[in-house]
């Protein structure tokens, strides 16, 4: 046993140690509920392989999404590990992209691409939506989708989502319209909408083939149908990777399970990890039942039962709240009462204020680390996010907010940067309102308040003079200068002079302009981004977004003689580009209270000591988002197509999904969960959703036992 083996053994139980050190020719299927130490075994198995001198480049760590691989990448940074190559920690989509680039000349013509002699261009989610918008916008102008009311960006994203869903389930992308039609039971006019969505998807796929563009759906189809079946490609992959660690298999999609099922016999060793009760990404195609097929390809199945996170009262709460939600008879043990509190508040603001005060008490009086507390809701609106963050900040509690659906354009720092870019480039012809200028100045200049920012926008912004849209500070009346203050005026002048100089330098690349603006001015003392790490992160993400957009669209826009920067700004203003890359919640954790939607917290796969569930009476905990162009169940392998999708189907799936969500959250709680109810929701309406009904049923059962 090596030195590192000794270190690992000290961290593991005898059972975990035995599972970690299975022979190098062994294939193990490991399952159990959340918190039983499965990922710990996966990480230590990876480290053990390295310690046994298995070449790092022969080890493949496969995860369904990047966030779930962060624990592995962190562990692999350990300095004491043997030197050499690098372990591949990747999703199958990421691996597919690498392999397609490598074998492109062999498969491009057969796959139907118009220019096989040229290299492929891989699209991000937002560049896929950009090209989809270019194709669909003329059809909308002709009257397509006029029977539904939906934001343009959501319309484009749902068509892209249909392509993705068919790709990850192995369906023909040309069939989703017919499947949606067959399941529809309602207004016949909706059938025409499905046909229109199918036509848009067909046009988009042909456009991609004509221009060597690969969105996620086409990447997966090319990999599964062209790369993997090809002898030379499969031989390369099976020779390259000899040892597999596949974590959270239940959160992955069926075509990935298909590939791994065929690939498993070729590996020297394999560890497949399955989370009982998982499958939270079902709306993205996750299929836990499909993942169980991999069990048959492994020599051994081991099950972990004892949780390292969930205490017995919390485990009992998870079990019996589920029975109440599914309306099944059961008698919960009295210890369940120790795991939760039910708090009722008359008004919504009262609930938010009380929760913030309780969090402050936990941190300051009970000395619970902020990072051990989470505040969860069904959805996290801007108003709720602002209220909680302000309430915690006022009490001196560090907090971070995670909402993946919040696009980059909604961030104040992004709006500031893009507004300043448009002011410096009036030749782009993009309108800037005084409201935009006010908010940009408020973010850019340190010490400026809303009232003075509004005054400055009213008197210093000259929209009718595009050559010099910002007036000099010394040109305004003396009493206005004194009201604004000369300190703010001096900082404003530095900003105005920088923008004027940048215009004279003719910085046309938007990402370069923003990088220079941040580095030379906004990050300096006296300006709003100075020692503002959140703003720095957002700026970095924005630059990354623009760089990827420019790389993908520049050749085509050059042919059309259109400016890339101008096109990017237009798409952001229209909401087409969400700029969703590596989010802050995917980064290493900070010691701060996490405020997020419930599903977002679940996908971080981390525990907490105290959880606050806000407004448990909300229907949002139970019902699906309105998606008129797609359906996560109908476009899955679970749907047999026997008859239409009825209200009974919807009710059953929503009940099961809610029970799974509640169990997943509770099994990631070490101490106590606080269920918060309110007499009126954010809109002022009274709601008594299924989650609240299940909690009340549990309370009644516990009272009967008293």
């Amino acid at each position: 046993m090596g030195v590192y083996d000794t270190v690992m053994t000290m961290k593991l139980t005898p059972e975990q140690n035995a599972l970690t050190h299975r022979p190098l020719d062994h294939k193990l299927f490991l399952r159990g509920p959340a918190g039983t130490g499965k990922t710990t075994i996966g990480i230590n198995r990876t480290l053990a392989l390295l310690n046994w001198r298995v070449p790092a480049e022969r080890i493949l760590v496969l995860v369904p999404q990047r966030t779930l691989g962060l624990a592995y990448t962190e562990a692999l940074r350990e300095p004491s590990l043997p030197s050499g190559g690098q372990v591949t920690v990747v999703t199958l989509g990421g691996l597919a992209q690498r392999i397609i680039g490598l074998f492109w000349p062999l498969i491009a013509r057969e796959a139907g691409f118009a220019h096989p002699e040229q290299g492929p261009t891989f699209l991000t989610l937002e560049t896929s939506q950009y090209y989809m918008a270019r194709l669909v916008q003329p059809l909308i102008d002709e009257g397509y989708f006029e029977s539904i009311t939906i934001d343009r960006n959501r319309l484009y994203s749902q068509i892209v989502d249909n392509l993705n869903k068919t790709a990850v389930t192995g369906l023909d992308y040309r069939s989703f319209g017919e499947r949606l039609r067959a399941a529809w039971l309602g207004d016949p006019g909706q059938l025409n909408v499905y046909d229109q969505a199918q036509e848009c998807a067909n046009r988009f796929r042909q456009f991609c083939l004509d221009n060597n563009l690969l969105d996620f759906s086409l990447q997966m189809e090319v990999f599964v149908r062209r790369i993997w079946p090809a002898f030379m490609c499969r031989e390369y992959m099976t020779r390259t990777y000899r040892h597999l660690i596949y974590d959270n298999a239940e959160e992955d999609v069926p075509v990935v399970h298909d590939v791994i099922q065929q690939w498993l016999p070729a590996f020297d060793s394999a560890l497949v990890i399955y989370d009982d009760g998982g499958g939270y990404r079902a709306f993205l195609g996750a299929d836990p039942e499909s993942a169980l097929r991999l069990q048959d390809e492994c020599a051994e199945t081991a099950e972990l039962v004892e949780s390292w996170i969930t205490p017995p009262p919390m485990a009992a709460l998870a079990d019996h709240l589920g029975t109440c939600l599914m309306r099944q008879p059961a008698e919960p043990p009295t210890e369940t009462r120790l795991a939760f509190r039910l708090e009722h508040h008359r008004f919504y603001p009262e609930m938010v204020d009380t929760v913030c005060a309780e969090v402050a008490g936990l941190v300051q009086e009970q000395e619970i680390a902020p990072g051990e507390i989470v505040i969860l809701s069904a959805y996290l609106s801007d108003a709720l996010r602002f209220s909680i963050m302000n309430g915690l900040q006022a009490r001196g509690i560090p907090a971070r907010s995670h909402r993946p659906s919040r696009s980059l354009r909604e961030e104040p720092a992004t709006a500031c940067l893009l507004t300043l870019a448009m002011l410096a480039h009036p030749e782009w012809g993009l309108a800037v309102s005084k409201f935009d200028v006010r908010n940009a100045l408020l973010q850019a200049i340190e010490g400026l308040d809303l009232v003075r920012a509004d005054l400055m926008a009213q008197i210093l912004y000259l929209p009718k003079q595009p050559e010099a849209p910002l007036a000099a500070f010394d040109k305004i009346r003396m009493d206005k200068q004194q009201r604004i203050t000369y300190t703010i005026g001096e900082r404003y002048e530095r900003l105005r002079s920088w923008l004027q100089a940048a215009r004279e330098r003719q910085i046309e690349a938007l990402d370069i302009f923003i990088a220079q603006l941040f580095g030379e001015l906004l990050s300096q003392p006296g300006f709003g981004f100075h020692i503002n790490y959140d703003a720095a992160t957002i700026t970095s993400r924005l630059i990354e977004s623009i760089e990827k957009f420019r790389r993908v669209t520049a050749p085509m826009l050059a042919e059309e003689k259109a400016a890339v920067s101008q096109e990017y700004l237009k798409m952001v203003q229209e909401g087409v580009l969400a700029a969703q890359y590596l989010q802050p919640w995917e980064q290493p954790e900070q010691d701060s209270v996490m405020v997020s939607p419930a599903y977002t917290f679940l996908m971080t796969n981390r525990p907490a000591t105290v959880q606050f569930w806000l407004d448990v009476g909300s229907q949002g905990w139970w019902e699906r988002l309105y998606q008129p162009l797609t359906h996560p169940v109908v476009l899955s392998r679970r749907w047999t197509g026997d008859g239409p999708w009825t209200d009974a189907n919807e009710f059953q799936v929503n009940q099961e999904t809610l029970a799974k969500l509640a169990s997943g959250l509770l099994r990631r709680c070490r101490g106590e969960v606080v269920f918060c109810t309110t007499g009126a929701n954010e809109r002022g309406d009274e709601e008594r959703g299924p989650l609240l009904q299940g909690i009340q049923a549990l309370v009644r059962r516990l009272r009967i036992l008293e």
Side-chain angles (χ1 to χ4, degrees):
M1 183 178 291
V3 174
Y4 203 79
D5 277 7
T6 304
V7 175
M8 288 189 297
T9 302
M10 291 173 64
K11 295 181 179 180
L12 304 177
T13 66
E15 182 182 18
Q16 288 178 317
N17 187 56
L19 293 171
T20 296
H21 293 84
R22 287 293 193 263
L24 280 174
D25 60 351
H26 193 72
K27 297 182 177 70
L28 170 66
F29 188 91
L30 180 62
R31 63 185 301 176
T36 51
K38 301 184 301 299
T39 296
T40 299
I41 293 174
I43 292 171
N44 280 274
R45 175 68 176 182
T46 306
L47 301 178
L49 292 173
L50 293 173
N51 190 64
W52 292 336
R53 298 297 184 246
V54 172
E57 61 273 14
R58 295 288 182 262
I59 303 173
L60 174 63
V61 177
L62 194 65
V63 290
Q65 69 175 47
R66 287 188 299 173
T67 55
L68 298 174
L70 289 176
Y72 288 88
T73 56
E74 284 296 307
L76 290 168
R77 292 173 183 164
E78 171 61 45
S80 63
L81 290 175
S83 59
Q86 187 173 5
V87 175
T88 301
V89 182
V90 70
T91 65
L92 190 70
L95 182 63
Q97 190 173 122
R98 301 181 191 182
I99 302 299
I100 290 171
L102 184 62
F103 289 98
W104 177 257
L106 297 180
I107 55 90
R109 188 179 302 278
E110 183 183 356
F113 290 94
H115 305 286
E117 74 284 355
Q118 301 175 9
T121 299
F122 298 101
L123 301 180
T124 63
L125 174 59
E126 62 174 5
T127 49
S128 296
Q129 290 188 190
Y130 166 72
Y131 282 120
M132 182 68 76
R134 286 170 61 95
L135 294 171
V136 176
Q137 183 61 51
L139 298 177
I140 294 177
D141 295 338
E142 294 176 9
Y144 275 48
F145 305 112
E146 61 183 1
S147 63
I148 61 174
T149 302
I150 185 175
D151 292 339
R152 293 287 177 90
N153 61 313
R154 289 189 60 214
L155 187 149
Y156 305 141
S157 67
Q158 287 183 31
I159 299 174
V160 171
D161 190 46
N162 283 338
L163 286 168
N164 293 343
K165 281 185 169 63
T166 56
V168 301
T169 55
L171 300 171
D172 188 332
Y173 75 92
R174 294 165 294 190
S175 69
F176 76 75
E178 188 58 38
R179 287 177 70 92
L180 293 171
R181 285 175 59 92
W184 178 249
L185 184 64
D187 183 1
Q190 180 69 18
L191 301 178
N192 191 42
V193 171
Y194 295 143
D195 291 337
Q196 293 169 350
Q198 183 70 73
E199 181 181 348
C200 293
N202 294 346
R203 292 192 183 196
F204 177 74
R205 174 56 60 85
Q206 190 59 50
F207 178 82
C208 289
L209 293 172
D210 292 343
N211 294 278
N212 284 21
L213 303 175
L214 289 93
D215 67 320
F216 174 78
S217 66
L218 192 49
Q219 290 175 40
M220 293 299 291
E221 287 189 19
V222 168
F223 179 81
V224 172
R225 299 181 183 180
R226 304 292 177 181
I227 295 285
W228 179 246
F231 173 80
M232 184 180 297
C233 303
R234 185 184 292 202
E235 186 74 5
Y236 169 80
M237 294 175 63
T238 54
R239 286 180 179 271
T240 300
Y241 300 110
R242 305 303 306 160
H243 301 271
L244 172 68
I245 309 293
Y246 185 16
D247 204 347
N248 288 108
E250 79 290 341
E251 297 296 342
D252 225 331
V253 295
V255 294
V256 177
H257 301 146
D258 295 342
V259 170
I260 298 302
Q261 186 177 28
Q262 298 169 30
W263 196 352
L264 270 171
F267 283 105
D268 292 335
S269 76
L271 171 60
V272 180
I273 299 175
Y274 180 92
D275 192 346
D276 288 321
Y280 309 114
R281 299 171 74 245
F283 60 96
L284 294 176
D287 193 334
E289 293 181 8
S290 172
L292 285 174
R293 292 180 290 149
L294 304 180
Q295 188 172 356
D296 299 331
E297 304 298 328
C298 296
E300 178 189 3
T301 296
E303 184 173 3
L304 299 178
V305 178
E306 183 179 355
S307 175
W308 291 86
I309 293 172
T310 316
M314 189 63 66
L317 176 60
D319 292 337
H320 290 279
L321 179 56
T323 63
C324 291
L325 290 171
M326 298 305 295
R327 302 179 181 180
Q328 298 169 350
E331 292 188 4
T334 55
E335 64 178 3
T336 305
R337 291 176 298 180
L338 303 175
F340 74 95
R341 284 188 289 122
L342 180 60
E343 294 184 351
H344 179 72
H345 308 277
R346 187 175 180 185
F347 300 110
Y348 205 88
E350 176 190 347
M351 177 188 67
V352 173
D353 189 64
T354 301
V355 167
C356 291
E358 289 188 15
V359 169
L362 291 172
V363 173
Q364 296 165 357
E365 298 173 14
Q366 300 186 32
E367 299 183 351
I368 295 177
E372 289 295 319
I373 303 172
V374 294
I375 301 176
L376 307 174
S377 64
Y379 305 118
L380 189 62
S381 66
D382 287 335
L384 177 58
R385 176 178 179 270
F386 178 82
S387 299
I388 295 175
M389 299 297 286
N390 269 21
L392 294 175
Q393 184 179 12
R395 293 170 171 84
I397 306 300
R400 65 194 190 280
S401 171
H402 305 323
R403 195 185 76 185
S405 62
R406 180 179 173 87
S407 68
L408 196 55
R409 73 189 182 104
E410 295 175 323
E411 299 289 350
T414 300
C416 169
L417 293 166
L418 298 184
T419 298
L420 295 178
M422 289 186 284
L423 290 175
H425 298 87
E427 67 275 9
W428 290 346
L430 299 173
V432 179
S433 67
K434 291 190 175 183
F435 175 81
D436 295 329
V437 174
R438 181 196 72 184
N439 289 342
L441 294 175
L442 185 63
Q443 292 294 318
I445 299 176
E446 187 177 25
L448 186 60
D449 56 63
L450 184 61
V451 174
R452 287 184 293 173
D454 186 70
L455 176 63
M456 293 174 71
Q458 295 295 332
I459 62 180
L460 292 171
Y461 177 49
L462 309 174
K464 296 182 179 180
Q465 299 182 20
E467 297 300 317
L470 295 177
F473 185 74
D474 59 6
K475 299 298 183 182
I476 64 175
R477 287 166 36 187
M478 186 66 69
D479 62 322
K480 300 296 184 184
Q481 293 183 27
Q482 293 175 347
R483 183 177 175 185
I484 294 170
T485 74
Y486 294 107
T487 299
I488 297 297
E490 185 270 335
R491 293 170 183 170
Y492 164 80
E493 275 301 308
R494 286 174 59 188
L495 174 62
R496 187 184 70 85
S497 299
W498 193 96
L499 294 176
Q500 184 64 33
R503 183 181 178 189
E504 294 172 359
R505 295 200 304 268
Q506 297 183 338
I507 308 174
E508 294 187 1
L510 183 59
D511 51 329
I512 295 175
F513 172 87
I514 289 175
Q516 292 184 358
L517 174 61
F518 175 82
E520 297 176 7
L521 188 75
L522 295 184
S523 62
Q524 303 303 312
F527 292 91
F529 291 18
H530 180 60
I531 317 183
N532 186 337
Y533 300 111
D534 288 339
T537 300
I538 292 168
T539 302
S540 175
R541 288 169 52 206
L542 179 61
I543 292 172
E544 180 188 7
S545 169
I546 300 168
E547 285 177 340
K548 292 186 177 181
F549 181 83
R550 174 159 54 86
R551 186 166 60 247
V552 170
T553 63
M556 189 169 299
L557 291 176
E559 294 178 4
E560 301 174 3
K561 297 182 179 180
V564 175
S565 299
Q566 184 178 1
E567 190 73 4
Y568 181 88
L569 287 167
K570 285 182 179 179
M571 292 297 101
V572 170
Q573 287 180 331
E574 294 176 10
V576 174
L577 301 184
Q580 296 295 334
Y581 291 107
L582 190 67
Q583 302 291 328
W585 59 279
E586 297 175 352
Q587 302 289 353
E589 299 173 14
Q590 306 168 5
D591 188 20
S592 54
V593 177
M594 181 177 180
V595 183
S596 80
Y599 276 105
T600 303
F601 171 70
L602 267 184
M603 295 318 301
T604 63
N605 199 28
R606 56 171 287 261
T609 299
V610 182
Q611 296 180 6
F612 290 88
W613 296 14
L614 302 185
D615 193 12
V616 293
S618 170
Q619 286 285 127
W621 288 92
W622 180 81
E623 63 186 0
R624 285 191 305 115
L625 286 172
Y626 173 62
Q627 295 179 299
L629 300 183
T630 187
H631 198 291
V633 180
V634 172
L635 297 183
S636 72
R637 289 188 184 179
R638 289 182 292 163
W639 181 247
T640 60
D642 298 333
W645 182 262
T646 64
D647 289 342
N649 297 128
E650 184 76 15
F651 179 84
Q652 183 65 23
V653 168
N654 285 350
Q655 288 290 100
E656 293 173 356
T657 302
L658 175 59
K660 183 178 293 186
L661 169 65
S663 176
L665 292 174
L666 294 172
R667 291 191 181 279
R668 287 165 174 80
C669 186
R670 296 190 183 97
E672 181 183 48
V673 61
V674 182
F675 300 125
C676 302
T677 69
T678 179
N681 60 20
E682 279 188 286
R683 299 181 303 274
D685 302 324
E686 182 180 0
E687 287 185 290
R688 293 180 56 82
L691 177 56
L692 177 58
Q693 295 175 27
I695 294 170
Q696 290 174 332
L698 176 66
V699 171
R700 286 195 297 270
R701 292 181 183 183
L702 288 170
R703 285 177 178 171
I704 291 174
L705 294 175
E706 290 179 354

